[in-house]
Amino acid sequence: MAEEVKSPTPPPEGEKKPTAEKPAAATPPAAPAKPAAPAKPAGPVPLPWTSPLVEKYRNQYGSGIEALTYLGQNYFNVDRSLIPDILRLLRDQEQFNYCVDITAVHYPKREKQFDIVWILYSFPRNERMRVKTQIADGASISSSVDIWAGANWLEREVFDMFGIKFDGHPELKRILLPDGWKGHPLRKDYGILQQDKEWVQINLGIESGQ
Amino acid sequence: MSDETVKDTHRISSHAVPPRDRSHLHLEAPEKPHLDSNELIINMGPQHPATHGVLRVILKLDGEKVLGTECVIGYLHRGVEKIGENRTYTMFNPYVDRMDYVAAVSNGLGYCEAVEKLLNVEAPARAKYIRVILTELNRLASHQLWLGTHALDIGAMTPLFYTFRDREEILKIFEKYCGARLTTHAFRIGGCQYETYAGFEKEVKNFLTFVAPKIDEYEELLTTNRIWLERTKNVGVISGADCMALGVTGPVLRASGVKWDVRKAQPYAAYSEFDFEIPTGENGDTYDRYLVRMAEMRQSLRIIEQAVNGIPEGPIMGKVPKVIKPPVGEIYHSIEAPKGELGYFIVSDGSTQPYRLRVRPPSFVNLQALDVMVRGLLVADVIAVIGTLDIVLGEVDR
């Protein structure tokens, strides 16, 4: 399957590739390849997720919760204001006692720019689920360190990479990038060639790291 | 079989060594007014050979007793997730090998399976078997490397030569299969690129008979070795509940008595078809983690043997389009890497590149437990605990 490597793709280089839109249609080589790979159908869509757990929370919180399932994976779309409560209830009442991961996704075109995603697992139920919420740029969200101790570094990484602040986090500071670095690299408006030139010059004594 | 091994060695060891007595060190003594004691801040790393790469730990000490630690990481940060957003799904495949570079095959397996899930395709049965064989060989290699370096940190130099000698045989199989020894890029989205070479099955079987007595040999060197027991028993104890709260997975979690392994809990590849056990420990100390990993090596051999004997004929590549364009959606898929749960969370916007690609690295999350595990221990024990966590900085920093 060596030919796979030659897949026509928009060249990823270039200083600015800031937005969510990927100009796939604009690339000339894409056209001849199209007939070979016929356009796929739209693909599966998220379906409503029904279970006793969902019913319970639906009754309690009404429209604040949207329960969906996609390719067999279940998730909650939760209003931001409900966030600490829902997570705590999931841990205390539904035994989701292991916070696998916390991460975020940036959608610069949206009004609420960030999706924050908690990936949870329950050892007793052997079940996974995700909790998602949307927040605007500059808004903060309550920390879940007092729910799962392991959230500490995960939230620090989200802060480092996206600049999202977690209220009540014991020590919210950068974790992978050096203190004093400017910008948050996993935002879509942070291009791959962009770097903190000032930091590089002061700390490494060179003009550019590239 | 393995559970017995773990228990047996426990019995031997508890006879051999009484619980560690440190009363002569006066660790528990409260601050004495007549003795002026100051807290000392010491920096360990990032160029310290026992931190397995570029980990920097800031230690707060009272004499030789550790009061607290802070990890400073990121020295190896390459922005793998950002790279992922700027490469196609196929192009990104080799990059994942550079995270946990001593278990590159596992990284590749997790990534390929995650994208396959997103595409809603499945690899053919033969490809799955090849994947299992190589992944388990890689688990063995990773544990061997861990054992050699961990023992070296603690002061036992011989195991390093033994394990590296035997690990070489695994790397030779990798090299013959895909041309690379370390960063293998062995799998492709949808299956495997290469058919097994002529004599592959025989070579793997020969390796199994070669390596099984070698694992006993490692155990002979260490399991009842008095110095080893002194340095590992009751060092870096962590409870199962603490592990769960901190999200610690892999052998560390199992050594604390939690019988959980992604291969059993939510089987992927062909793992549901094989018969193997999950070794667990009891005390959650460095010694139990050692025993669990030793037992895991033997379980890996069992899995490989079953897989080699039962490898089906058929295609090795599934029906995957040349240009990989998953439909709009998001998926989380995780596997049991040698270090713990390795997960990929991929968001697709329907284009040829992932919109967001998040890696859930086991080393990063496990490293968080260091502080809990070393409080109250001595500086030398910090080295033992870093070794027993089995972190790879390429994966911590990504």
Side-chain angles (χ1 to χ4, degrees):
Chain A
M1 305 300 127
E3 316 91 88
E4 247 183 12
V5 184
K6 288 185 274 172
S7 59
T9 123
E13 296 82 35
E15 297 74 38
K16 46 199 238 98
K17 189 130 175 308
T19 55
E21 265 67 47
K22 296 205 165 110
T27 9
K34 270 275 159 61
K40 291 193 91 178
V45 284
L47 303 168
W49 171 30
T50 48
S51 81
L53 187 151
V54 174
E55 287 306 311
K56 194 169 142 194
Y57 286 92
R58 187 61 70 57
N59 292 340
Q60 207 169 336
Y61 291 102
S63 61
I65 291 182
E66 193 187 6
L68 297 166
T69 179
Y70 180 72
L71 292 176
Q73 300 192 345
N74 306 322
Y75 60 95
F76 271 174
N77 234 334
V78 173
D79 191 73
R80 179 189 155 217
S81 58
L82 300 176
I83 262 311
D85 301 343
I86 291 280
L87 294 177
R88 194 174 287 279
L89 286 177
L90 284 174
R91 187 201 64 176
D92 292 342
Q93 295 181 0
E94 312 301 333
Q95 300 174 304
F96 281 93
N97 48 356
Y98 165 29
C99 176
V100 181
D101 202 0
I102 301 172
T103 190
V105 189
H106 189 201
Y107 297 95
K109 291 283 169 73
R110 262 182 6 196
E111 191 195 344
K112 289 184 168 179
Q113 289 193 9
F114 294 99
D115 264 10
I116 303 184
V117 186
W118 287 260
I119 302 170
L120 308 179
Y121 177 77
S122 162
F123 284 102
R125 300 162 73 118
N126 187 19
E127 214 177 286
R128 281 182 200 283
M129 71 171 289
R130 295 195 293 269
V131 177
K132 274 204 319 189
T133 190
Q134 282 79 40
I135 67 164
D137 189 15
S140 62
I141 187 114
S142 2
S143 163
S144 48
V145 175
D146 51 348
I147 306 176
W148 300 282
N152 189 328
W153 282 20
L154 298 169
E155 286 179 356
R156 272 177 72 186
E157 193 180 340
V158 172
F159 167 71
D160 195 357
M161 294 296 156
F162 293 92
I164 297 166
K165 291 199 175 61
F166 289 86
D167 294 332
H169 188 286
E171 199 186 15
L172 195 65
K173 59 176 188 180
R174 287 188 184 274
I175 185 161
L176 291 177
L177 292 171
D179 294 334
W181 189 267
K182 287 201 188 102
H184 301 280
L186 283 180
R187 287 176 179 237
K188 291 286 174 185
D189 47 18
Y190 192 100
I192 50 170
L193 292 182
Q194 186 182 329
Q195 61 165 316
D196 191 343
K197 292 210 171 72
E198 199 185 334
W199 188 94
V200 170
Q201 185 151 36
I202 293 170
N203 290 280
L204 305 178
I206 51 176
E207 277 305 314
S208 164
Q210 298 290 342
Chain B
M1 177 183 133
S2 69
D3 284 3
E4 274 170 37
T5 329
V6 172
K7 272 189 193 119
D8 276 349
T9 39
H10 264 298
R11 204 179 57 237
I12 297 163
S13 58
S14 53
H15 278 296
V17 173
R20 197 176 214 195
D21 179 20
R22 282 177 170 152
S23 52
H24 61 284
L25 296 170
H26 303 293
L27 292 177
E28 305 312 321
E31 291 94 312
K32 288 177 193 157
H34 58 278
L35 266 182
D36 185 30
S37 73
N38 289 321
E39 283 170 1
L40 183 65
I41 307 285
I42 283 219
N43 180 54
M44 183 188 276
Q47 268 84 27
H48 194 290
T51 56
H52 293 243
V54 281
L55 169 66
R56 177 174 167 218
V57 186
I58 301 169
L59 299 168
K60 193 163 127 192
L61 303 174
D62 175 12
E64 237 202 300
K65 182 182 160 192
V66 179
L67 298 175
T69 63
E70 191 191 332
C71 290
V72 182
I73 57 175
Y75 292 95
L76 223 53
H77 180 62
R78 293 149 292 175
V80 165
E81 292 173 15
K82 187 77 177 179
I83 294 173
E85 289 174 13
N86 289 282
R87 296 283 180 275
T88 64
Y89 288 91
T90 324
M91 283 159 83
F92 185 64
N93 199 351
Y95 282 89
V96 297
D97 290 357
R98 274 82 184 163
M99 290 188 298
D100 181 358
Y101 38 78
V102 299
V105 181
S106 296
N107 289 318
L109 175 69
Y111 175 69
C112 290
E113 287 208 330
V115 180
E116 282 160 19
K117 225 172 183 178
L118 198 55
L119 285 165
N120 216 353
V121 296
E122 222 178 311
R126 185 174 171 80
K128 283 184 179 174
Y129 270 65
I130 297 174
R131 284 176 171 189
V132 167
I133 294 170
L134 294 177
T135 312
E136 289 305 315
L137 282 172
N138 204 178
R139 186 185 313 277
L140 191 60
S142 167
H143 281 4
Q144 281 175 331
L145 187 133
W146 159 80
L147 179 66
T149 51
H150 179 42
L152 183 70
D153 291 346
I154 292 186
M157 194 177 244
T158 319
L160 180 80
F161 302 120
Y162 281 46
T163 53
F164 272 66
R165 175 196 64 195
D166 305 336
R167 179 170 165 267
E168 186 64 23
E169 301 303 317
I170 300 175
L171 301 187
K172 275 183 193 161
I173 294 176
F174 287 165
E175 191 175 8
K176 263 185 137 172
Y177 175 73
C178 61
R181 288 158 53 86
L182 205 64
T183 45
T184 48
H185 191 202
F187 307 136
R188 299 294 183 274
I189 296 159
C192 303
Q193 181 176 12
Y194 307 107
E195 188 45 89
T196 55
Y197 57 86
F200 173 79
E201 280 95 338
K202 190 155 175 284
E203 226 160 86
V204 172
K205 279 183 197 166
N206 284 346
F207 170 74
L208 295 181
T209 47
F210 161 80
V211 84
K214 304 288 182 200
I215 297 174
D216 301 337
E217 218 170 69
Y218 311 152
E219 286 230 56
E220 265 169 44
L221 288 171
L222 297 172
T223 306
T224 53
N225 180 325
R226 198 179 169 91
I227 304 171
W228 181 256
L229 291 166
E230 286 276 356
R231 287 300 308 274
T232 56
K233 274 238 148 194
N234 299 322
V235 170
V237 179
I238 185 164
S239 70
D242 280 357
C243 282
M244 288 186 203
L246 284 164
V248 173
T249 45
V252 184
L253 175 71
R254 293 191 280 275
S256 299
V258 182
K259 200 166 186 159
W260 186 77
D261 188 313
V262 186
R263 289 176 292 174
K264 282 275 192 202
Q266 305 194 324
Y268 53 92
Y271 280 106
S272 53
E273 296 165 32
F274 305 122
D275 180 30
F276 64 100
E277 278 149 39
I278 309 173
T280 51
E282 286 162 13
N283 306 323
D285 61 1
T286 302
Y287 185 67
D288 273 19
R289 285 187 281 275
Y290 155 73
L291 290 179
V292 163
R293 288 197 179 99
M294 297 309 287
E296 260 178 34
M297 288 193 204
R298 297 203 172 88
Q299 294 302 323
S300 289
L301 296 186
R302 269 178 80 182
I303 298 171
I304 298 167
E305 194 178 0
Q306 294 169 52
V308 171
N309 288 330
I311 189 165
E313 292 296 321
I316 53 164
M317 200 65 193
K319 288 209 184 311
V320 177
K322 288 233 164 68
V323 181
I324 290 174
K325 258 184 166 183
V328 180
E330 55 186 52
I331 205 87
Y332 176 79
H333 180 69
S334 69
I335 65 156
E336 184 73 27
K339 274 97 192 160
E341 177 179 348
L342 169 71
Y344 290 89
F345 176 68
I346 305 178
V347 180
S348 165
D349 61 351
S351 75
T352 55
Q353 299 171 327
Y355 185 71
R356 168 94 174 94
L357 195 147
R358 159 74 182 165
V359 186
R360 189 268 179 201
S363 294
F364 176 79
V365 182
N366 289 3
L367 184 58
Q368 240 188 127
L370 179 74
D371 187 54
V372 180
M373 288 160 84
V374 301
R375 272 173 197 251
L377 298 182
L378 306 181
V379 178
D381 295 331
V382 176
I383 300 296
V385 174
I386 292 173
T388 193
L389 277 173
D390 193 14
I391 48 162
V392 164
L393 268 296
E395 189 179 60
V396 173
D397 296 342
R398 281 155 290 137

